[in-house]
Amino acid sequence: MSTTRSEALLARGQNLIPGGVNSPVRAFRSVGGTPRFIARAQGARLFDVDGNEFIDYIGSWGPMLIGHRHPDILAAIEKALTIGTSFGAPTELELELAEEIIDAVPSMEMLRLVNSGTEATMSALRVARGFTGRDLTIKFEGCYHGHVDSLLVKAGSGMATLGIADTQGVPKGFSDTTIALPYNSVEALEVAFAERGDQIAAVILEPVVGNMGCVIPTPEFLKALQTLTQKHGALLIFDEVMTGFLLARGGAQELFGIRPDLSTFGKVIGGGLPIGAYGGRRDVMSKVAPVGPIYQAGTLSGNPLAVSAGLAMLRHIKTHPEIYPYLEKITARLCEAPPPGVTVNRVGSMFTMFFTETPVTDYETAKTSDTARFGKFFHHLLSEGVYFAPSQFEAGFVSAAHTEEDIERTRGAIQRFFA
Ligand code: KE4
């Protein structure tokens, strides 16, 4: 498999952009080798600049729920182009997207559109602090909520991939406002609230984790989150940037029957264009400028291109509810009967094959994985035309464009690694 052009582009990129990539996980640093520069994508396929074809299990880290270049999305973007790309003034399209999100997610009584998941979580946190008048946040080790200064504490995703425990550049004063606890630990949560409950503005979590690899909350953990936040007057924030509209039309909160105070979204709601959203309780969101004293703004927030693509995506999901049982079926088949030494965690179309015998329930158990062997597995799959996430500490994603034949081909490639 030639990587000549990718190697040349990487060399050229190194002088222009840190690592030649615009997001660290793309650099293949934890799996080694040359990151593939992508020429184009279609459906469940990626095509790199050397003409190699891959079955894609990244899906742009979530947005490509219905596959690359879906005709509904392309048509919506083309239509949007006829009216303009950004006005810096309100449009009816933004109201329609807000209505679609609110219709799908009952806890979202009011919301604000932004341009990334990071903006969404940063804003939700500021609103929680402003609403409660408190400064502290609880997050969980291995969860990643975007590169918000105060949340880059024991974070997952690229930080876990690169083994960066705590990034440089975040003032101690910021990270001191964050309490990082083990995911799924009811006891740690109880102790934190017992000690500092009246200072805690919010608890933020990935309701199904993707960013330490896929990790699933226990019912006891979810119950404790609800009980303790309510008891102490803290807000419960579900970061559904990855899980929103991906695991179900109503996100993880629909699966678990939980109504968080605030939720954040991104990825799928933009249909592959830059977008984010935060929202929830009306009494909380009514504190946001211009109606309230908590400020948040954005030049391209609600721009017609991203909103049109997002609307097309959410309308497709609403009119094609069969995508979720299909995704459940083919992803379950992909993950069926894992090889010895591999622990698989999966919810819907989100999955991770951990190279450990240990059940993975938090960051500590995720880190028992043999990342060197995962790197060899990743490159074996790549050589067979299968593109998994280039990190043990990320989730993979199956799309509605994947066929049963794609799944069988992928299973064959996996089995040949262990043969
Ligand atoms: P963005 O700012 O990247 O749009 O969203 C940040 C974010 C927030 N919350 C959750 C739960 C997320 O998963 C993310 C971003 N996810 C990573 C994938 N692990 C994005 C990929 C990357 O950083 O390159």
Side-chain angles (χ1 to χ4, degrees), residues 54 59 63 66 102 171 174 247 252 261 293 327 357 365:
F54 303 97
I66 57 177
I102 290 167
F174 284 35
L247 300 183
D261 298 300
L327 286 168
E357 296 276 12
T365 45

Side-chain angles (χ1 to χ4, degrees), residues 172-318:
K172 189 173 177 310
F174 284 35
S175 46
D176 283 354
T177 65
T178 304
I179 304 164
L181 302 176
Y183 197 82
N184 274 325
S185 173
V186 172
E187 184 192 354
L189 203 56
E190 286 169 342
V191 167
F193 270 104
E195 289 173 353
R196 310 175 78 176
D198 59 353
Q199 302 166 53
I200 295 168
V203 177
I204 186 168
L205 73 146
E206 295 182 58
V208 172
V209 187
N211 289 297
M212 59 176 115
C214 184
V215 171
I216 302 160
T218 64
E220 299 75 19
F221 182 57
L222 290 170
K223 187 74 193 132
L225 286 163
Q226 286 180 291
T227 312
L228 289 167
T229 50
Q230 281 161 9
K231 179 181 173 189
H232 292 273
L235 299 188
L236 177 57
I237 304 177
F238 265 22
D239 177 359
E240 297 233 35
V241 166
M242 187 180 281
T243 55
F245 293 90
L246 186 112
L247 300 183
R249 183 167 173 255
Q253 55 194 272
E254 176 186 298
L255 293 184
F256 299 138
I258 286 185
R259 194 180 173 95
D261 298 300
L262 291 174
S263 301
T264 55
F265 292 89
K267 298 180 192 270
V268 172
I269 69 164
L273 269 64
I275 202 164
Y278 68 98
R281 280 170 42 188
R282 184 179 301 280
D283 61 329
V284 176
M285 290 302 290
S286 300
K287 299 285 187 187
V288 177
V291 292
I294 304 170
Y295 194 72
Q296 177 271 314
T299 302
L300 288 168
S301 297
N303 73 80
L305 285 189
V307 168
S308 296
L311 265 174
M313 172 66 87
L314 299 198
R315 286 170 175 160
H316 181 94
I317 287 170
K318 187 159 69 174

Side-chain angles (χ1 to χ4, degrees), residues 23 25-26 61 116-118 121 144-146 157 206 211 239 241-242 267 394:
S23 204
V25 71
R26 306 175 189 174
W61 303 100
S116 70
T118 295
T121 57
Y144 175 72
H145 302 287
S157 187
E206 295 182 58
N211 289 297
D239 177 359
V241 166
M242 187 180 281
K267 298 180 192 270
E394 291 284 2

